[in-house]
Structure formats: structure tokens, C-alpha cells
Amino acid sequence: MACRLLLRRCLSAAAASSAAARFAVRHAHGELEVSGCSARIRDLGRLGRVGEAREVFDAMPRRDIIAWNSMISAYCHNGMPDAARDLYDAISGGNMRTGAILLSGYGRLGRVLEARRVFDGMLERNTVAWNAMISCYVQNGDITMARRLFDAMPSRDVSSWNSMLTGYCHSLQMVDARNLFEKMPERNLVSWTVMISGYGRIENHGKAWDIFCKMHREGLLPDQSNFASALSAVKGLGNLDVLESLRVLALKTGFERDVVIGTAILNVYSRDTSVLDTAIKFFESMIERNEYTWSTMIAALSHGGRIDAAIAVYERDPVKSIACRTALITGLAQCGRIDDARNLFEQIPEPIVVSWNALITGYMQNGMVNEAKELFDKMPFRNTISWAGMIAGYAQNGRSEEALGLLQELHRSGMLPSLSSLTSIFFACSNIVALETGTQVHSLAVKVGCQFNSFACNALITMYGKCRNMEYARQVFSRMVTKDIVSWNSFLAALVQNDLLDEARNTFDNMLSRDDVSWTTIISAYAHAEQSNEAMGAFKTMFCEHELPNSPILTILLGVCGSLGASKIGQQIHTVAIKLGMDSELIVANALISMYFKCGCADSRRIFDLMVERDIFTWNTIITGYAQHGLGREAIKMYQHMESAGVLPNEVTFVGLLNACSHAGLVDEGWKFFKSMSQDYGLTPLPEHYACMVDLLGRTGDVQGAEQFIYDMPIEPDTVIWSALLGACKIHKNAEIGKRAAEKLFRIEPSNAGNYVMLSNIYSSLGMWGEVAEVRKIMKQQGVIKEPGCSWTQIKDKMHSFVTGDKQHEQIEEIVATLEELYTLLKATGYVPDTEFVLHDIDEEQKESSLLYHSEKLAVAYCLLATPKGMPIQILKNLRICGDCHTFIKFVSHVTKRQIDIRDGNRFHHFRNAVLIAHGLVCLYSCTPCQIRAVGDLNTRLQSHMVQANEWMKTPTNDKYVSEFPLSLKILS
């Protein structure tokens, strides 16, 4: 009996032990399934396949907190924090790790307010949660709140210090960052890396390198991330010797064979296309390569314009990872081979969202917006980058309304826009001046917590500036916690766009640092406001501050010189362009051609002939230039050369050609070009073309035909067309048609004094003094004031201006005496004053006296006084030169043996000593249109201006700085 009881106990114990073992196996297997599912959710989340991740999550029979956190993390990683919040609420907040994940998710999307609500609602917070909330503020530019939270922390670890340090560095507050860095109780490699990166952000790469060297002296060995930051600093320094020294350290520490560091070194080489061959050599020497190594090399070759070499590297890649395929898709799209990019995309078995986004961006870059939208609609999953790419593409391709529509669609889907989407929408609102919509989107930005982000604020300033609401623009700018150079430039541009030039200059002067954009904006503003002295003053200040101009600045200043006819200053700017090696750049060369034409110099053709590259603007500039000088045949020859070069003309080309025909009296050729526009090139004539034809017909004496042409036009005539007809009536003294044209103009632009003066001229030339008085009466009733005639000339780098009847000039008595002496001399040689240009019914002696003191005559007399004998004279006038002044100056040129060039409000007039060639219909006065002034050799003149240009380009403290830019004589060869 005892034995049986003992046996039963043994069997029971064995059974119990077996059952316990089976339960332990099942429990371990369950734990393994949960762990595996959590890992699968994380992997799918990283690939952007959130839908599949959720399917795995929903299919789990049992979930632990790791599984919940994995799914929440997948949502946050893919820009879906609202879905993550639903899970967070479902488990009543989970653990402290769960809250930190959600805080980071909201922070990445700039939704600071929601992040703060989560933070405040957490029942328990550890240092990780505090650090996550600080990072949220830091990521969105609110450094003040980040520091407030940092100071309130019950305890801090090194990550807390590093988060705050990161905030200062990201907001470019490197003084505060350095102070905090020095106060840190302990530092790790992250601390040093953040400081190196921070100095890199403000492009103080020397300081960044110093920090790295200091870290090395303190005995810390760099890790991968630290090496990468140091390599970024080296890249900014652009010093390959420093890079080689860093490679030696990498070799000593065993990091150069590390594929991550090797790839980072390759990245430094490959960012500079000038050392792309060195990058290739380093790539070939690498023992180990990962997918990022291959994709970096492919991207570098693509960016350097070597797409075939990029394809060859791709073909060698044994894995051909999605990253490499995506890099090649991007490269093919950038070089316009979008079909090849699409074919490569189709070869990817399961393209991830990054690949979809790359092809969509490629379509947008090539202007294929509809194809991008079609691909976007087919995407199995879209992340915030997908939406941002589409919205940006619409905005950048001029389809701003569709960008706004896509934002509405995004909002209806339950997702809030990312920071990138918001900045693109602000850009779209700027394009279409949609102030109300922009203000609503601004409210949305506040809702998601992006109102302090510098990117969003910069875009807002630009939008409000273009919408001409400077009150809002000032509010955004003044409330910005961190203002970078882009912020200042955006506000500066907004002020300029709203014609607040004084405030713009104050803002410019208060900027802590300035870049090319800053200088270009202020110089362009002065040029646009016709404040040429201030524009040139800013240009000289640039050099004093050791800043060198870019191509746009030189182009703007050359335009100013052309408008003023300031050829000497223009030649000095030309010399600066040569010294900086910019004279051969297309936009600078085009500006030089235009400037020299406007200054009446022959150098424009020489520059044109030396150009390696020409665009349609080049051809239009030289055709229009010849037209302005009355060289119609030369303009037509240039057009023929343009056709031979295979360049298609545009509307501007034909305006130049028709003007050339008009000034040269080439009626048949003008009709031919006018018809060719639509018949040969499918271009619809614009009002400017019709005005040219009216001018052409009118100049040839067919005033009635010109009027009939206007009535037969398919478009409504504008002021330019009626003005052309009125001008023809003045030339041919046709009061009847002139009155009809003037009446049209009086209705369209009643405050334009020129129209009244033109009609009055017609009446006075016919002795119709009653009608003259009537016109004056109408002008008085309308409050119209005639613009005074003004002429100016440049002598010894100083501009001298004169108005009709001027008595203000410091040498006016000598000028008048010279003028009267000339008047007596010229009358003895056959000059007869043409008093029909006097608009008052006075006796002949008074008429002659009033003609004598026209502004251009005063300017000519002053030039004769102030310049050496035989020196050419150049004068500019705001209004058309009158017939009497034209004849007078022709005689002056003959008697004084001077070359005289006058540019009035319509065209150039060239007078050559002892050459009085009448070209009839060229300008309807006798001047010489067949020559453009060529004062000495271009080489000699540029060399003579080198001294003054050098004065602009150096100060006593920067000779070495300037000497790095040797003189280039490309244009002189």
C-alpha cells in the first residue's frame, strides 16, 4: 500500500513537471512571436509600409508594450502622429517611452502645441520625456521655450545639455552655444559633434576645425558621427591638404576602412565637381562599399554632368539596391532623361515610398506636372514628403491654384501639412497674390505649431511682402525668435517690393552679416528707383567691406550706366568684370552689349563677336541696339545671322526689326517682317508691333494709311499706337488727323503732358495760335504740367545736368556767353533758327532767343568749355530733340570739328565734324546714322580705367584679398 502511494506521488510529480515544461515552451514561443511581430512592424515602418505594419499589429493575438510602441513609432516615423495618438490613448498613455515617441513624432512635423499637450498630460515624466519636449521646441526654432524648459528640469543628463546645445547651434546662436558648452559638467562625443556642426552651419569652418582639433588634444577619439562632422568642416574649408591630414587620423584610428567613414570621405570629394576624378579614384580604392557608397558615387557623377559614367557605376553595383536605383532615377531626371528614369523605376519589384517620391520630383523638375500627378494617384502609400513634393511642384511650375487644391485634399484626408508643404503653399500664395488664402494657411501653421520655424517665417515674410501687406510682414519678422540671413533678406526684399527704400536701407545697415543676395537686393532697389549715385555708392561700399560682386550685381550696374549714358563708369565696371573673370558670362556679356549701345559706343559689336555662347536675349539686344542708332540694314543683317545660327526669333526680336525699318525708312522690309511673324513663326502681333507699323507708315508720309491701319487692326489700339500716329502727324504737320489721335489719347491718359505738347507743336508749326491757346487751356483745366526738358553729360566722372532756361549751373554765365558766341558764328556760316518749334505767338527775335536756351544747347556749350579741343561730346536728353536743336548741333559739330552724340527719349543722333550727310527718313533731320561712336581702341580704354577699377577693388587692408583674382584679358584678345 505504501509502495502504491509512493508510486502515485511519483507519477503525479512527473505529470506536473511535464505540464509545467509544456506551458513554459508555449509561453516562450508566445514571447518569441510577439518579439518577432514587433520587429516586423518596425521594419515595415522604416520602409514606409505602414498599412502592412498595421495588419501585422492587428493580427497579433497578444501584444505587449513593445508592440504598441513599435506601431506608434511606425506612424510617427511616416508623418501620421494623429493615428499614433489614437493608439496612445487606447492604452492610456502606455509607458514613459510611449510618450517620448509621440512627442518626437509631433516635433518632426512642427506640431509643437499638440506635443506640449501630450507632455503636460503625462502622469509621470522621466528625463527622456523632458529631453524629447526640449528637442521638439529646438526642432521648431523656439529656443526661448526650450531654454525655459531646460532650466525647469528637476535633473539633467548629458543628453539634456546636448539637446539645448543643439538648439543654440541650429538657431545659429553660436555665442550662447559656446557659453553653454563651456558650462557642461560633462561632455561626450555628441557634445563635440554638435559644436562642430554648429560652426559649420554658420560657415565658420575654421572654428569647426579648431573645435575638432581641441577635442583631439583632450584625448577623445572620434566616432563615425564625429568624423562625419569634421569632414563636413573640411569640405567647407575647401582645403584638400586638411582632408588628407584627417584621412591620416582616420587611418591611425582604424576608421578609414570603416565603410561609413569611407563613404563620408567620398562624399566630401564628390561634392566638389572640380575634384570628381579624385573622388572616383578614392571610390575605386575602397575595400568595402555599402549601398550608400554606391549611391553617393552615382549621385556625384550625375550632379557633375557625367550621367553615362553614373550608369556605368550603377551597372557594376552587385546589389543594385533601392537606394542606388533611386539615386540614378534622380540623376536621369535631372539631366532630362525622364523616360529612362521611369523605365528604371518600373524595374524595381517593390518600390519604396522614397523611389516614388524621387520619380515624382523628377517629373516636376522637367515640367511634366500631369505625369507627376498620375504617378502620385497610383502610389500605394503616401507620406508627408509625397504630398510636399506634389504641392511644391505645382507651386514651382506656376500652377498655384492646384497646389492650394492639393492642400485641401491633404487636409480632408485627416493629415496635417508638413513644414515643407506649408512653405510651398506660402510660395504659391505669393505667386497669385492670394492674401486671404495665405492668411488662412498662416492660421493653420499656428495650429500645427510652425509659427516659430524660420523656414515658415521666411516664406510668410515673402508672401506678405508680395501681397503688399507690410504690417503682417513686420509682425512676423519682429516676432521671430531666430533670424538667419534668409530672414533678413526676405524682409529686405519685402520692403523693396513695397517701395519702402529708406526703411530697406536701415534694415540693410542693421544686418549683422550680408551675403550676395543682400547686396544684390539693395543695389537693385536703388537702380529700380533711378537712384544711380546710391547704387554706385553701395557697390563701392561692397569692396570696402571685402565683398566681391556677383554677376547679377554687375549686370544691374551696367544697366544703370546704360540708362545714364555713363560710358566711363561702364568701362570701369567692365574692367571689374574682367578682373573677376565674369566678363565672358552670358548675362554680363549681354549687359555689356546693351550698355555700350546705350552709350553710343562701337564696343558692343566687338563683345558680341567674342561671345562663345549667345541666347535670344543676346541677338535681341544687338538688333535693338542697331535699330536705336538708325542702322536698319545692320539690324536686318544680324537677324539673318540669327536665322543662320538656328535661333528662333520671339516677339521682342520683331519689335527691334520693325523699329529698325521704321528709323531707316524701310517700308517694304517692315511689311515683310510684320507678315513673317504670324506666317513663318506663328507669333501673334502685340500692340508694340502694330505701333511700329504705324510709326513706319507715318514716317514715310503715309499718315492717312497709318490711320486706316489702326482702324483695320484686330486689337484695340493703346496709347503707344495713338502716340505713334500723333508723332507722325507732327513730323508731317497734319493737324486734322493729329487732332483725332490726340483726342483719343486725352481720353485714355488725360494727365500725360506729352500728348498736349505734341498737338500744340503741330498747331504752332502751322501758325494756328488760337488752337495752341485752346490746348493750353485744356492743360490748365486738367492740371497737366509739362515735363521740363533736361539734358545731362558726364565729364571727369561727374554728371552735369541742365534744364531749358537753366540759371542754376555754377558756370552759367560762361555757358551763355559761349552759346551766344556760337549763335553769331553759326548764323554767319548758314544756320537759320527754325522758329516753328516755338510754341508761343511772339515776335521772331523772342522766338530765336527762347530757342537758344534749350537744355541740349546749354549742355553742348558747357562741353565745349570743359573738355579739350577735339574731344568727342556725348549728351543725353529726357525728351525728343527739337528740329532747331538738331540743326544747331549739326553746325556746331561742323564748326568745332567735334564728334557729338545725343541720345534723346527716342533714339541716337550722331553728328560728325564736316560730315553733314542727310539720311532723309532715318530721323527726319540731317544726321549721320551710319556710324556708332568709337572713341579709341577698347583695349586702350579698358587699360586706362584699370587704375580706378583697382581703387574700387581694394582698400589698404585687402591687397592680398584682391590679388587672388588675376586680370583676365579674354575680351581684349
Side-chain angles (χ1 to χ4, degrees):
M1 183 69 177
C3 289
R4 272 199 300 263
L5 286 172
L6 183 61
L7 179 61
R8 189 180 298 163
R9 286 175 184 167
C10 289
L11 290 173
S12 297
S17 176
S18 176
R22 285 196 302 273
F23 176 78
V25 169
R26 282 199 304 272
H27 180 72
H29 182 65
E31 288 295 325
L32 187 61
E33 285 181 352
V34 171
S35 175
C37 288
S38 298
R40 178 63 175 161
I41 289 169
R42 288 193 295 273
D43 291 339
L44 289 170
R46 280 192 291 268
L47 293 172
R49 293 154 64 178
V50 184
E52 295 175 54
R54 185 57 191 258
E55 290 175 5
V56 173
F57 179 78
D58 290 339
M60 292 177 69
R62 190 170 59 81
R63 309 180 189 101
D64 59 9
I65 191 62
I66 296 175
W68 286 90
N69 285 347
S70 297
M71 193 64 237
I72 289 170
S73 179
Y75 278 131
C76 290
H77 180 76
N78 287 277
M80 302 171 69
D82 293 329
R85 180 63 187 268
D86 291 339
L87 293 183
Y88 176 84
D89 292 338
I91 55 171
S92 301
N95 58 12
M96 286 184 284
R97 170 67 180 157
T98 316
I101 293 170
L102 189 56
L103 288 175
S104 299
Y106 277 128
R108 275 195 294 268
L109 290 178
R111 294 166 65 174
V112 184
L113 297 179
E114 281 127 313
R116 186 57 192 254
R117 291 191 197 103
V118 172
F119 179 78
D120 291 339
M122 294 176 70
L123 298 176
E124 186 180 358
R125 307 185 194 105
N126 59 6
T127 306
V128 175
W130 283 86
N131 291 345
M133 192 64 232
I134 290 172
S135 295
C136 182
Y137 281 125
V138 163
Q139 288 168 2
N140 291 278
D142 193 348
I143 307 305
T144 302
M145 284 300 298
R147 183 59 192 253
R148 194 174 297 168
L149 206 64
F150 176 81
D151 292 337
M153 288 183 73
S155 63
R156 307 184 189 103
D157 58 14
V158 70
S159 295
S160 313
W161 288 88
N162 287 340
S163 295
M164 197 63 239
L165 191 65
T166 300
Y168 282 131
C169 290
H170 282 191
S171 62
L172 312 181
Q173 299 179 43
M174 290 309 298
V175 173
D176 294 325
R178 188 62 182 261
N179 290 337
L180 190 72
F181 180 76
E182 298 297 342
K183 292 177 182 177
M184 290 180 71
E186 64 170 317
R187 304 180 190 126
N188 59 13
L189 275 174
V190 174
S191 316
W192 292 95
T193 303
V194 169
M195 285 299 294
I196 294 168
S197 301
Y199 281 119
R201 280 175 174 267
I202 63 171
E203 298 188 5
N204 193 339
H205 303 293
K207 277 279 189 184
W209 179 247
D210 290 343
I211 290 287
F212 178 80
C213 294
K214 182 180 179 182
M215 181 197 80
H216 186 58
R217 287 194 298 271
E218 291 191 10
L220 273 78
L221 292 177
D223 61 3
Q224 285 182 348
S225 178
N226 190 265
F227 254 124
S229 296
L231 285 165
S232 179
V234 172
K235 173 181 172 288
L237 289 171
N239 191 328
L240 292 181
D241 293 335
V242 177
L243 176 60
E244 294 305 321
S245 67
L246 191 60
R247 285 186 60 186
V248 170
L249 178 61
L251 192 63
K252 287 181 178 179
T253 53
F255 268 111
E256 189 170 62
R257 291 178 177 270
D258 183 286
V259 67
V260 174
I261 297 304
T263 302
I265 294 172
L266 176 65
N267 191 40
V268 176
Y269 278 128
S270 62
R271 291 298 176 90
D272 187 351
T273 54
S274 64
V275 293
L276 196 51
D277 291 331
T278 307
I280 295 170
K281 184 178 178 181
F282 180 80
F283 172 79
E284 297 296 347
S285 70
M286 292 179 70
I287 297 172
E288 183 185 358
R289 306 182 185 110
N290 61 16
E291 61 178 296
Y292 300 108
T293 315
W294 290 96
S295 62
T296 297
M297 196 69 248
I298 292 167
L301 290 167
S302 301
H303 182 69
R306 304 188 192 181
I307 190 62
D308 292 330
I311 294 171
V313 170
Y314 170 78
E315 295 296 340
R316 289 171 50 198
D317 179 10
V319 179
K320 293 182 175 55
S321 66
I322 291 178
C324 291
R325 295 187 190 209
T326 303
L328 188 56
I329 288 169
T330 301
L332 289 166
Q334 285 174 345
C335 70
R337 294 171 60 173
I338 192 67
D339 291 337
D340 293 337
R342 181 61 185 259
N343 291 336
L344 183 60
F345 175 81
E346 300 288 356
Q347 294 172 20
I348 302 176
E350 292 185 15
I352 61 174
V353 68
V354 176
S355 304
W356 287 88
N357 292 343
L359 187 57
I360 286 172
T361 302
Y363 275 130
M364 286 298 190
Q365 288 172 343
N366 286 273
M368 303 171 70
V369 181
N370 294 334
E371 289 80 357
K373 182 63 165 65
E374 181 183 347
L375 195 69
F376 179 77
D377 291 337
K378 292 179 180 178
M379 289 183 74
F381 168 75
R382 302 167 186 152
N383 62 10
T384 53
I385 298 173
S386 315
W387 288 94
M390 281 298 298
I391 291 171
Y394 275 134
Q396 291 164 4
N397 283 280
R399 293 167 67 166
S400 299
E401 296 284 358
E402 290 168 89
L404 296 174
L406 201 61
L407 177 68
Q408 291 176 339
E409 185 181 336
L410 169 65
H411 199 50
R412 284 195 299 267
S413 71
M415 295 176 65
L416 286 174
S418 66
L419 175 63
S420 177
S421 296
L422 288 170
T423 53
S424 295
I425 286 297
F426 294 140
F427 176 70
C429 292
S430 300
N431 290 341
I432 58 176
V433 196
L435 177 60
E436 184 178 351
T437 303
T439 306
Q440 292 171 357
V441 179
H442 187 179
S443 300
L444 182 60
V446 173
K447 180 181 177 182
V448 300
C450 292
Q451 71 271 31
F452 297 114
N453 183 275
S454 59
F455 293 103
C457 289
N458 296 341
L460 277 167
I461 292 168
T462 300
M463 181 196 74
Y464 284 130
K466 288 188 176 180
C467 293
R468 307 192 76 79
N469 190 324
M470 283 308 299
E471 181 185 352
Y472 285 2
R474 287 190 188 92
Q475 287 180 13
V476 173
F477 183 72
S478 63
R479 292 174 182 175
M480 287 184 72
V481 179
T482 303
K483 299 182 180 79
D484 57 19
I485 187 68
V486 179
S487 312
W488 285 93
N489 286 339
S490 299
F491 188 60
L492 183 66
L495 291 168
V496 168
Q497 288 163 358
N498 287 271
D499 303 320
L500 300 169
L501 195 48
D502 291 339
E503 188 178 350
R505 184 56 196 245
N506 289 335
T507 300
F508 178 82
D509 291 337
N510 288 328
M511 293 176 71
L512 298 177
S513 63
R514 307 181 186 105
D515 61 7
D516 283 350
V517 176
S518 318
W519 289 102
T520 304
T521 302
I522 197 68
I523 291 173
S524 175
Y526 282 131
H528 182 71
E530 298 183 357
Q531 296 185 25
S532 54
N533 289 338
E534 288 76 7
M536 291 298 176
F539 180 56
K540 291 182 181 180
T541 303
M542 239 187 123
F543 284 114
C544 292
E545 296 188 9
H546 298 191
E547 295 285 345
L548 292 176
N550 56 17
S551 300
I553 289 176
L554 293 179
T555 302
I556 292 164
L557 292 170
L558 289 169
V560 170
C561 294
S563 298
L564 293 174
S567 58
K568 293 180 181 178
I569 298 177
Q571 287 162 358
Q572 291 163 13
I573 303 294
H574 187 175
T575 304
V576 171
I578 293 171
K579 292 200 72 169
L580 297 177
M582 296 179 183
D583 57 299
S584 58
E585 291 187 23
L586 184 60
I587 62 169
V588 176
N590 286 342
L592 283 167
I593 293 173
S594 178
M595 184 272 293
Y596 280 125
F597 260 130
K598 288 179 179 179
C599 292
C601 301
D603 304 324
S604 47
R605 180 57 189 264
R606 301 187 194 184
I607 293 167
F608 176 84
D609 290 338
L610 289 169
M611 289 177 71
V612 177
E613 179 188 2
R614 301 180 183 121
D615 61 6
I616 185 63
F617 185 83
T618 314
W619 292 97
N620 288 345
T621 302
I622 200 159
I623 289 170
T624 302
Y626 278 131
Q628 289 174 338
H629 287 272
L631 302 172
R633 297 290 182 188
E634 290 298 322
I636 293 172
K637 284 181 183 178
M638 290 309 303
Y639 174 69
Q640 291 167 346
H641 289 321
M642 175 180 165
E643 284 186 313
S644 301
V647 180
L648 291 176
N650 61 13
E651 291 85 353
V652 178
T653 314
F654 283 102
V655 170
L657 284 170
L658 293 173
N659 264 323
C661 294
S662 177
H663 289 303
L666 304 174
V667 180
D668 293 338
E669 289 83 350
W671 276 113
K672 174 186 170 185
F673 289 127
F674 184 75
K675 293 174 181 177
S676 175
M677 278 188 69
S678 53
Q679 292 176 0
D680 299 332
Y681 298 103
L683 299 173
T684 302
L686 301 173
E688 291 85 351
H689 302 104
Y690 288 106
C692 290
M693 287 304 298
V694 170
D695 188 58
L696 173 60
L697 294 171
R699 281 176 179 271
T700 59
D702 188 8
V703 180
Q704 290 181 337
E707 185 181 29
Q708 189 59 47
F709 179 83
I710 293 175
Y711 292 135
D712 293 340
M713 289 190 320
I715 65 170
E716 187 70 23
D718 63 3
T719 56
V720 180
I721 294 171
W722 288 116
S723 293
L725 181 61
L726 183 59
C729 292
K730 173 181 174 292
I731 292 167
H732 297 287
K733 302 179 182 179
N734 191 319
E736 181 184 353
I737 296 177
K739 182 181 179 182
R740 289 198 291 268
E743 287 172 348
K744 296 283 188 182
L745 287 166
F746 295 164
R747 284 195 291 268
I748 299 172
E749 45 179 15
S751 60
N752 187 337
N755 300 326
Y756 298 92
V757 173
M758 192 86 74
L759 181 60
S760 185
N761 281 335
I762 297 172
Y763 288 145
S764 64
S765 66
L766 296 170
M768 301 168 66
W769 300 112
E771 285 77 2
V772 171
E774 184 63 29
V775 172
R776 290 184 177 279
K777 181 181 177 182
I778 296 172
M779 289 180 68
K780 188 174 182 180
Q781 290 173 347
Q782 296 285 350
V784 177
I785 300 174
K786 178 183 179 295
E787 180 184 3
C790 179
S791 300
W792 61 94
T793 185
Q794 180 190 355
I795 297 176
K796 294 182 180 178
D797 299 323
K798 183 178 179 181
M799 203 65 71
H800 298 265
S801 62
F802 303 86
V803 295
T804 299
D806 200 338
K807 290 182 172 33
Q808 301 300 317
H809 196 277
E810 56 188 12
Q811 293 180 256
I812 190 61
E813 292 182 2
E814 297 173 67
I815 294 169
V816 169
T818 302
L819 203 52
E820 290 174 349
E821 184 181 343
L822 273 173
Y823 181 66
T824 304
L825 178 63
L826 297 184
K827 288 185 76 172
T829 59
Y831 163 66
V832 179
D834 191 349
T835 57
E836 74 174 42
F837 291 95
V838 178
L839 305 183
H840 300 275
D841 186 14
I842 54 179
D843 61 46
E844 285 299 309
E845 187 176 344
Q846 288 178 303
K847 287 181 180 180
E848 289 184 17
S849 179
S850 67
L851 286 173
L852 185 59
Y853 303 110
H854 280 192
S855 64
E856 55 266 56
K857 289 174 182 169
L858 293 170
V860 167
Y862 177 71
C863 289
L864 292 173
L865 278 172
T867 59
K869 185 177 179 180
M871 182 176 178
I873 294 172
Q874 185 179 31
I875 294 167
L876 288 86
K877 186 180 180 184
N878 61 333
L879 306 176
R880 288 189 181 187
I881 185 172
C882 78
D884 178 71
C885 287
H886 196 284
T887 305
F888 180 88
I889 294 169
K890 177 181 68 174
F891 274 88
V892 172
S893 173
H894 174 54
V895 170
T896 62
K897 305 296 188 254
R898 296 271 196 135
Q899 298 179 8
I900 303 176
D901 297 291
I902 295 184
R903 192 185 86 191
D904 65 13
N906 191 40
R907 50 152 294 158
F908 273 90
H909 305 267
H910 303 290
F911 304 89
R912 296 294 177 262
N913 49 344
V915 180
L916 305 178
I917 302 174
H919 279 260
L921 294 172
V922 171
C923 68
L924 298 164
Y925 307 121
S926 53
C927 66
T928 308
C930 56
Q931 302 175 51
I932 304 177
R933 183 170 61 92
V935 188
D937 180 68
L938 176 62
N939 190 339
T940 304
R941 281 181 286 115
L942 288 180
Q943 295 285 6
S944 70
H945 286 295
M946 196 67 71
V947 175
Q948 186 160 358
N950 282 337
E951 292 302 317
W952 284 8
M953 295 190 64
K954 70 180 181 179
T955 64
T957 59
N958 71 336
D959 286 355
K960 181 177 183 297
Y961 182 79
V962 175
S963 67
E964 296 173 5
F965 298 89
L967 173 63
S968 166
L969 296 177
K970 298 174 187 174
I971 200 164
L972 308 181
S973 60

